[in-house]
Amino acid sequence: MEKGRIIGGKYRIREALGRGGGGTVYLAEDLRVGTLRAVKRGGRGNAGVFREGEILKKLEHPALPGIVDRLEEEDGVFLVMEYIPGRNLEACLKSHGPFESDRIRAWALELCGILSYLHRQEPPVLYRDLKPSNLILDREGRLHLVDFGIAAEAGETFTPAGSRGYAAPEQFRRGEAQQASTDLYALGVTLYRLAAGRLPEPGKEPRRPGGMSRGMFRVLKKCMRADPEKRFRNCRDLQKALERCREGRISGRKSRKGVRRILLAGAAAVLVWAAGVQEIRSGSRTDYQALLEAFREDGRFTPEEEALLLEKLEQIPEDRRNSPEYRYLAYETGRLYRECYIYGGEEGRENRMVRAAAAAPWFRRALGGREGWTIQAEQFLAEADFYQKLAAGVGQSTGEEGG
């Protein structure tokens, strides 16, 4: 469709955004209010585009696009939706590379909330096309689910459809029942791809992505079972497993006390710097990330562990501390402080202030490059500065009252 074309006298086409289920999606300007819209075009007589509109108009959720208009012209049918600015996770994966376990878990919980909303409808809505390219990450870091081209309501006759590599096996078997666990299969594959940078090999047991906790991996493997009866039954069960995973109950690892004892053995773990990447060698070559992951496992980074980490970091040669590898380690160390540091054992605002103050120096060391994670480091540093100013303000207020 040519640029500048006006649809229905109201929407001027700007550019093509991509192809979705059942049609091509364009960016358009709403001439009545000057707002940008997403316009999906399907062939004339394409019932799928109008069907997509019928499903979406019943839904109201901040992570889903709202329906603005539906039109039909001589050369096709058009579904006009809210435009969600941002990048899809497929593009983010290509520019960022595989994502860390904590990010995967956070997205898993976010997607559980979205899918749970769909599955609670009467009748339940099955999305059936979950994959990175259908997930938009907005400027505030929130996920949005787009392209309901093959979504359907439970009880309908399902036609075989889905994205190869992501869709559950039953989606390609005519007449096979589909349910909530069908969407959870695609959720597991999608998150695995974002963590590993690749799809699991068909017919083979998936391998745990580097840096992913064993607990998180077990959750994803259960989502990806070929037999629907062996998957999580619904989003509630998956969410509970993710919460237990965070608490360290289903990881299958040794107790926290045992992990700390192994790490504090010290003599067996020698920190080295080789080929620009910091590593720990303890019998076999292990990425430096293993130490950070060990401290992150149960969400508690204690002063005892902090002392060990700082001791190891001091061994990094000065001439390596301006390298991109070191800046990335500084970023990951800042995240460890920001998310897991326990000083005094109290949660709430006071502990967030302590975490922010401890994380800030590491985020500053992470700056200076053009890598994607430096933007996140800048945002975290701004957050840390905010909490430090807030803490200073509280102190001043307290002092005035005492005077």
Side-chain angles (χ1 to χ4, degrees), residues 84-197:
I84 302 170
R87 299 180 72 201
N88 68 59
L89 290 188
E90 180 70 33
C92 292
L93 178 63
K94 290 178 179 177
S95 61
H96 177 280
F99 294 90
E100 66 276 6
S101 187
D102 280 359
R103 172 51 51 197
I104 296 300
R105 179 183 172 277
W107 282 341
L109 287 168
E110 198 170 351
L111 290 173
C112 266
I114 301 171
L115 292 177
S116 178
Y117 169 78
L118 296 177
H119 298 165
R120 291 197 310 269
Q121 301 304 303
E122 290 292 345
V125 173
L126 301 181
Y127 178 65
R128 305 206 304 152
D129 202 19
L130 190 59
K131 56 185 177 180
S133 60
N134 282 346
L135 291 166
I136 303 296
L137 187 65
D138 71 17
R139 295 164 184 169
E140 284 73 44
R142 295 184 295 257
L143 289 179
H144 298 260
L145 191 60
V146 299
D147 193 358
F148 278 64
I150 64 170
E153 294 179 339
E156 294 183 25
T157 299
F158 295 104
T159 56
S163 297
R164 293 285 179 183
Y166 293 96
E170 62 266 23
Q171 288 186 232
F172 301 106
R173 296 194 286 262
R174 187 173 297 276
E176 182 107 3
Q178 296 178 32
Q179 50 199 344
S181 63
T182 301
D183 280 340
L184 298 187
Y185 179 95
L187 182 148
V189 176
T190 294
L191 295 174
Y192 182 90
R193 168 90 194 288
L194 293 170

Side-chain angles (χ1 to χ4, degrees), residues 186-253:
L187 182 148
V189 176
T190 294
L191 295 174
Y192 182 90
R193 168 90 194 288
L194 293 170
R198 65 183 185 279
L199 288 168
E201 294 186 54
K204 295 184 179 180
E205 187 75 7
R207 300 175 61 184
R208 181 162 64 99
M212 175 172 284
S213 68
R214 288 180 175 82
M216 188 67 212
F217 182 50
R218 289 187 177 190
V219 170
L220 294 190
K221 281 207 303 182
K222 185 168 182 176
C223 288
M224 296 187 288
R225 296 296 184 194
D227 182 353
E229 296 301 318
K230 294 182 179 179
R231 299 177 205 147
F232 294 102
R233 294 174 301 169
N234 51 49
C235 292
R236 180 181 299 175
D237 288 350
L238 173 56
Q239 185 173 358
K240 288 179 180 178
L242 289 166
E243 294 295 345
R244 292 198 303 270
C245 177
R246 184 68 170 120
E247 294 165 8
R249 296 182 197 162
I250 63 171
S251 67
R253 66 182 182 279

Side-chain angles (χ1 to χ4, degrees), residues 24 58 103 181 184 215 299 340 364 379 400:
T24 302
K58 300 175 184 177
R103 172 51 51 197
S181 63
L184 298 187
C340 303
R364 288 194 182 90
Q379 294 173 346
E400 290 173 0

Side-chain angles (χ1 to χ4, degrees), residues 1-74:
M1 189 161 55
E2 67 276 10
K3 179 180 178 181
R5 175 178 170 179
I6 298 178
I7 306 298
K10 296 179 281 189
Y11 310 103
R12 178 185 287 123
I13 300 299
R14 286 194 172 187
E15 60 182 284
L17 294 175
R19 183 163 181 81
T24 302
V25 181
Y26 296 86
L27 179 65
E29 178 186 0
D30 189 330
L31 299 176
R32 299 167 298 178
V33 292
T35 303
L36 293 178
R37 305 294 189 191
V39 177
K40 188 171 191 177
R41 176 195 185 186
R44 189 171 175 80
N46 185 332
V49 173
F50 273 146
R51 176 64 182 143
E52 180 176 356
E54 286 296 314
I55 289 177
L56 281 173
K57 77 176 186 179
K58 300 175 184 177
L59 305 175
E60 187 174 350
H61 190 282
L64 306 178
I67 291 296
V68 177
D69 206 348
R70 294 183 297 178
L71 304 164
E72 185 168 2
E73 297 196 348
E74 290 185 0

